Amino acid sequence: MLRTRRRGQAVVLALGVALLAGGCAGSDGEQDAKAPRTPAVRGAQDINAQPVAALRDGGDLRVPVDALPTNYNPIQLNGARVVTWQLAEAILPGAFSDAPDGTQKVNKAFFDSVELTSTSPQVLTYRIAKDAVWSNGRPINWSDLHGQWQALNGKNKAYEGYSNVGYADMSSVRKGASDKEAVVTFGKPFAEWQGLFTPLLPKEVTGSPQDFNKGWLESPAITSGPFAVEKIDKTGKTIDLKRNPSWWAQKPPLKRVILRALDPAARADELANRGIDLYPIGADLDLFSRAKSMPGVEIRQAPERLAGQLTFNGAPGAPLADEKLRRAVAQAIDPKAITTALIGRIVPDAKPVGNHILPPGDPGYRDNSATLPFDPAAAGKQLDALGWKKSGESREKGGKKLTLRLVGQATPVGKSVCGLIADQLRAAGIEARITSVPLDKFYDSYLIPGNFDLIAFEWTKSASPFAHDRPVFQKPQGDDAGSNFGRVYIPEIDTLYDRGLAELDPAKRRDIANEIDVLAWRHAHHLPLYAGSGAYAVREEVANYGARGLGAYGFGNAGFLK
């Protein structure tokens, strides 16, 4: 079994925006006045796509984020957060980037080509762009890929890497025909190789565990991308990026990108007052309504890889370590009702997510939720069989009430999700005691240490679902549970991941993904709820940015219309 280490959060995106009462949305006529332009098919974007020549030279794009990183190394376990990966696209190399259709394409600014040059053994040849350099002036070369492999292959346990999936399968990374060519050989086949070395860190960071784990606590010291770090203001909670003066590819239209930590509740006012240029709407009906009535602002919308879900704590000693109780709790919760309440006004006919691995719209997506459907009668029957008998409105066993700790983020949507779940559980006789946690405490104090019985947050998915999600199901070893925050371990899933990661046929790999999904439902690993709305409020003059759908953020092409 391949051991992974993943705790930080490349996969987790905070429930940072929210639902308010339906009455806040205004009249139906007001809602129709500025409806989002929902793309009809997966793979579309809504970014006001324009040729770079149509954009003015300069301007600052101001983007709200939930919080500043506590570690700027995006492949270190505490640094692998959404904001850090967002930042990485602007300031770090990557072998591949996400295309709008959900596939991965070679990042031509950094690599001339990445080719599968042999299948037995599997060999990849990376040819690095000749002009690609780090901010310290050193050319990007094969030794940077070698250093990242050494840090993430799992052999040196002092490296706190977020995941060794793929890197642990490599037998060597060596110099090719020149310093600008790296030849990667695998000891066993690895199917999702396009997801490797994205982002790519300089060898100065990966050279020692100390530098890797703690060298970028305050700022990223050596970078390479269309932008460079100008300053980080901890008091003002901003990261200012400027054009990289050494950038060899197309000059970015923007002069600066400013990432600003901003509470979701303050974002509508800031957009109206021109303090930011956009905000994600997510499941926040109030933010949706505010955007529709805001002059000079439009709603852009595209399906994206984001889903709300509920994680069960199945660690030894926790109440939900009992799989039968977990299944009963899951069957007492109605994802369709939650989906309709949260985003039904933003995404008409929104459907709950029916797959743990593949997002809706993926060619292999199947709704396997019938394996463990919402069924209050079945939930009640199972609770009775477990000895949790109804006593008034509650269930008790041995004089003790069935009570679970439900943790959510202290945002309107976090509170709304938890409120809906608590109401549904109450109908089944289960008391859910809600704890609303500030964003800066949610991960380190609750999610990662398993300080919950139930916890609600959102997952982001990847174009490499096997490599990306394996840590979600990994076997906990001591304090290292990877991204398996609920510590629910299903050995059969491990075996299927081994098969899937080695299966080079995409159709067969999708079938394996669905086998994994059925097991995740059967054992109540976690409960998928709703897909993200993919909606953003964006200033009309912002071009090549907004609802990116399945593609990259696109900082290098973003700008303002002339």
Side-chain angles (χ1 to χ4, degrees):
M1 189 271 290
L2 176 63
R3 182 172 183 266
T4 62
R5 297 189 60 172
R6 185 174 190 153
R7 290 177 53 190
Q9 266 332 94
V11 295
V12 173
L13 179 64
L15 274 169
V17 289
L19 170 77
L20 292 182
C24 297
S27 68
D28 290 341
E30 177 188 324
Q31 287 184 8
D32 293 338
K34 194 188 291 184
R37 304 187 305 275
T38 307
V41 297
R42 175 184 183 267
Q45 293 183 308
D46 196 357
I47 59 173
N48 188 15
Q50 301 287 339
V52 170
L55 308 185
R56 62 182 171 90
D57 183 33
D60 298 345
L61 182 68
R62 297 155 301 176
V63 181
V65 296
D66 288 339
L68 298 191
T70 55
N71 189 325
Y72 286 83
N73 179 350
I75 60 174
Q76 193 270 345
L77 65 88
N78 291 319
R81 305 282 173 94
V82 169
V83 62
T84 322
W85 284 65
Q86 186 176 14
L87 179 63
E89 186 182 302
I91 65 169
L92 286 173
F96 285 80
S97 60
D98 290 344
D101 65 358
T103 61
Q104 293 161 306
K105 62 180 182 180
V106 176
N107 189 341
K108 290 290 189 174
F110 293 101
F111 290 84
D112 292 333
S113 65
V114 180
E115 296 178 341
L116 181 65
T117 49
S118 172
T119 56
S120 185
Q122 184 178 356
V123 178
L124 301 174
T125 301
Y126 293 77
R127 296 182 179 91
I128 303 163
K130 67 180 181 63
D131 294 329
V133 297
W134 296 105
S135 57
N136 62 0
R138 180 177 65 79
I140 300 173
N141 62 41
W142 77 276
S143 62
D144 295 303
L145 282 75
H146 181 271
Q148 186 149 319
W149 167 57
Q150 294 283 68
L152 295 183
N153 63 18
K155 292 181 179 178
N156 187 338
K157 306 305 180 187
Y159 282 97
E160 298 174 349
Y162 83 90
S163 175
N164 64 21
V165 175
Y167 297 97
D169 295 326
M170 298 175 185
S171 57
S172 69
V173 178
R174 60 179 178 82
K175 178 181 174 181
S178 71
D179 283 346
K180 285 287 188 175
E181 185 173 284
V183 179
V184 177
T185 303
F186 289 81
K188 63 180 181 179
F190 180 70
E192 294 181 338
W193 51 269
Q194 293 94 338
L196 299 169
F197 301 111
T198 301
L200 175 65
L201 274 288
K203 66 180 180 181
E204 289 86 347
V205 178
T206 57
S208 74
Q210 176 67 20
D211 290 336
F212 183 85
N213 298 335
K214 300 185 181 298
W216 280 17
L217 291 178
E218 299 297 324
S219 66
I222 302 173
T223 63
S224 181
F227 292 90
V229 176
E230 183 175 37
K231 67 176 180 179
I232 297 174
D233 181 353
K234 288 187 176 181
T235 303
K237 297 182 179 180
T238 59
I239 303 170
D240 290 9
L241 307 179
K242 63 179 181 180
R243 285 174 179 156
N244 178 1
S246 302
W247 183 237
W248 55 92
Q250 176 183 275
K251 176 184 175 182
L254 292 169
K255 181 181 179 181
R256 293 193 304 174
V257 174
I258 300 171
L259 303 181
R260 177 184 172 191
L262 185 65
D263 189 280
R267 292 176 182 177
D269 286 339
E270 281 299 301
L271 184 61
N273 295 328
R274 304 192 71 86
I276 55 177
D277 294 301
L278 74 156
Y279 61 69
I281 291 171
D284 190 324
L285 194 54
D286 183 58
L287 289 179
F288 179 62
S289 179
R290 290 284 303 274
K292 288 192 299 179
S293 62
M294 204 176 291
V297 170
E298 63 186 12
I299 296 172
R300 300 177 185 175
Q301 190 164 0
E304 58 187 2
R305 295 186 185 96
L306 180 65
Q309 57 82 53
L310 184 69
T311 286
F312 307 115
N313 189 346
L320 297 181
D322 183 341
E323 182 180 306
K324 291 180 179 179
L325 181 57
R326 269 201 322 275
R327 286 175 53 87
V329 170
Q331 292 202 273
I333 297 170
D334 184 359
K336 182 172 177 24
I338 293 171
T339 298
T340 300
L342 281 173
I343 62 171
R345 298 281 291 277
I346 302 171
V347 183
D349 301 319
K351 294 179 175 58
V353 175
N355 198 296
H356 295 76
I357 314 299
L358 302 175
D362 187 277
Y365 176 83
R366 299 175 198 159
D367 184 342
N368 295 311
S369 59
T371 307
L372 188 66
F374 168 60
D375 189 337
K381 185 176 180 180
Q382 181 65 74
L383 291 168
D384 286 340
L386 292 171
W388 293 103
K389 303 291 187 178
K390 268 287 188 78
S391 176
E393 295 186 354
S394 302
R395 289 186 178 271
E396 296 183 0
K397 183 165 67 172
K400 182 181 178 181
K401 285 186 177 181
L402 179 51
T403 303
L404 301 173
R405 296 173 299 145
L406 172 57
V407 175
Q409 295 179 347
T411 61
V413 77
K415 293 175 182 177
S416 296
V417 169
C418 287
L420 291 164
I421 291 170
D423 286 346
Q424 293 175 356
L425 292 177
R426 188 178 301 113
I430 302 168
E431 180 183 2
R433 292 182 179 173
I434 298 173
T435 300
S436 293
V437 180
L439 292 175
D440 59 352
K441 303 290 185 185
F442 183 80
Y443 297 105
D444 294 334
S445 299
Y446 290 85
L447 182 63
I448 292 172
N451 185 16
F452 60 87
D453 291 320
L454 305 164
I455 191 165
F457 58 99
E458 291 178 348
W459 288 116
T460 56
K461 296 295 182 179
S462 166
S464 303
F466 277 85
H468 186 265
D469 279 2
R470 182 164 199 173
V472 176
F473 296 92
Q474 77 174 61
K475 183 177 182 179
Q477 299 190 18
D479 292 335
D480 179 15
S483 294
N484 188 0
F485 302 114
R487 278 78 173 167
V488 176
Y489 177 61
I490 304 161
E492 297 91 337
I493 286 182
D494 243 352
T495 302
L496 287 169
Y497 265 109
D498 285 337
R499 281 178 50 203
L501 285 166
E503 177 54 68
L504 300 181
D505 184 316
K508 293 179 180 178
R509 200 159 60 245
R510 294 184 193 113
D511 288 341
I512 295 170
N514 279 287
E515 290 184 59
I516 293 172
D517 180 55
V518 169
L519 285 173
W521 284 108
R522 185 174 298 152
H523 295 280
H525 184 276
H526 63 275
L527 183 65
L529 297 174
Y530 58 92
S533 72
Y536 293 76
V538 190
R539 294 198 179 286
E540 292 175 344
E541 67 266 27
V542 173
N544 299 332
Y545 201 83
R548 65 191 181 102
L550 306 181
Y553 289 101
F555 292 112
N557 292 321
F560 296 91
L561 295 172
K562 289 180 179 177

